Amino acid sequence: MPIRVMLADDHAVVRAGHRFLLDQENDIIIVAEADDSDSAYHQYLTHAPDVLVLDLSLPGAGGLAVIRRIVTRDPEAKILVFTMHDEVLYAKRALEAGARGYLTKDADPDLLPEAIRQVARGKNYMADAIARQLVAQYTQGDDNPLALLTQREFEIFCLAAEGLSVQEIAANLHISYKTAANYMTRIKQKLDLNTLGELVRLAFLHGVVGKPASVGKAE
Amino acid sequence: MPIRVMLADDHAVVRAGHRFLLDQENDIIIVAEADDSDSAYHQYLTHAPDVLVLDLSLPGAGGLAVIRRIVTRDPEAKILVFTMHDEVLYAKRALEAGARGYLTKDADPDLLPEAIRQVARGKNYMADAIARQLVAQYTQGDDNPLALLTQREFEIFCLAAEGLSVQEIAANLHISYKTAANYMTRIKQKLDLNTLGELVRLAFLHGVVGKPASVGKAE
DNA sequence: ATCCGCCAGGGAAATGTTCCTATGGCGCGT
DNA sequence: ACGCGCCATAGGAACATTTCCCTGGCGGAT
């Protein structure tokens, strides 16, 4: 019997791409799709797929939040993160939140079906590069100040690093302006930052925000 | 006769998605694909597609460079940019470089076929949100928005981009806090920025601040 | 001479930030 | 079951910053 897969990604193209690629595997069928956090959560509960393929940068509460919500409800949930970010930090947090696998969009597309099968079988799957860095991180201790942040704080940190204003963050996360502002304050304290600017720099320096290829460079 | 389309995107999933979605349109066929800059350029020349759908963040020379190279060779080239970035800056640069349309990945997927048809017909196509911002913003702006700044403004911009607070900037330049604050306001206005975060991002994106390698980053 | 753009700053109102406080949920040890 | 601590959420008040408006000085155009 085939592996029942659900897709959660806010970009319709990416979902279509997965559908196209996975349709060619005869042991995998797609039973549901979602394009935002809430929808992902509810679809998961109603369809109970064997594997959830999830993009971390979902609009709404955010991919990490979805993982946590789902895992809380169903600790056996098999979630495979497939995302743009090749940043270790994200992988680490996603795994902590309960994901069983992590693949980046740069990975060879053939890897996804294989990863899905692994995860469906109850194993974990990790992109090599990420895995190597993960162990490196764990071994050499945590000098990464970002690790001090709670999951939620980290999410807010990321949004701020993208240049979003406090009210945009609040709107994005469905929380009050006050809460977002309070988080910002706490984050700056924890990271010993004085200005928003330092925060963004830190994010860039740690590669949390994807530096858009070579758009502004050269010439 | 169908519109001959070529895809250039480094993510196989995204190409598959486009293929899947565009295959359903019977007036559009995909004649070539590329996953990096050089390949995109050469494929374009050999296949001479009616429309090139291009992701700006191509590895290699970068999407903008590809546009310029292709347009130089073939000023009639019809290039439609389809990208992750909804930042006006990229749209503007892409259009200047010779693109005929700009769509973001967040756009309704139904828009792409329509955009392709428009561009194939020789018209321009622009995502609404982007278009509105474009005209609102750099109507007669310079290539580099930073060029709008006076020397002094630029100096302050740089310091802010380094993460300095307003008072630090004032101290650094031996001017009053008020003056520095007023400059900051004016700079944000000129560049159409809302937050300090956006300013720092802009600086990074334009390479104003150097990013030290090896902080904890990948490959 | 006059105008104009740039630099520098004051004052006041609007906005934002920080600190303190409080609630409810959840997990953990006893 | 109970308290304890941590986290997410958020209101209020004090405090700080930002923004807008305005004033001057200075130097380069016309």
Side-chain angles (χ1 to χ4, degrees), chain A residues 214, chain B residues 34-43 54 56-66 69-70:
Chain A
S214 39
Chain B
D35 65 358
D36 69 32
S37 305
D38 280 344
S39 158
Y41 177 66
H42 292 115
Q43 297 270 357
L54 176 75
L56 271 196
S57 49
L58 268 193
L64 287 177
V66 174
R69 278 177 81 185
I70 291 179

Side-chain angles (χ1 to χ4, degrees), chain A residues 177-178 182 185 189:
Chain A
Y177 171 82
K178 289 291 324 182
N182 284 333
T185 299
Q189 275 172 191

Side-chain angles (χ1 to χ4, degrees), chain A residues 67-136:
Chain A
I67 298 178
R68 267 179 265 118
R69 275 177 83 185
I70 290 179
V71 169
T72 306
R73 262 302 258 280
D74 172 13
E76 296 302 301
K78 288 161 179 150
I79 302 177
L80 178 56
V81 173
F82 181 86
T83 187
M84 222 99 61
H85 314 288
D86 59 353
E87 172 56 27
V88 196
L89 232 52
Y90 273 116
K92 184 162 175 283
R93 287 180 179 277
L95 296 174
E96 278 170 5
R100 305 292 184 93
Y102 196 99
L103 263 184
T104 73
K105 286 196 166 85
D106 294 316
D108 187 319
D110 298 340
L111 259 36
L112 183 63
E114 196 39 43
I116 289 176
R117 289 188 197 101
Q118 294 273 330
V119 171
R121 229 179 280 127
K123 306 178 71 171
N124 280 14
Y125 186 93
M126 197 71 31
D128 279 2
I130 297 287
R132 262 187 284 107
Q133 288 180 57
L134 260 189
V135 291

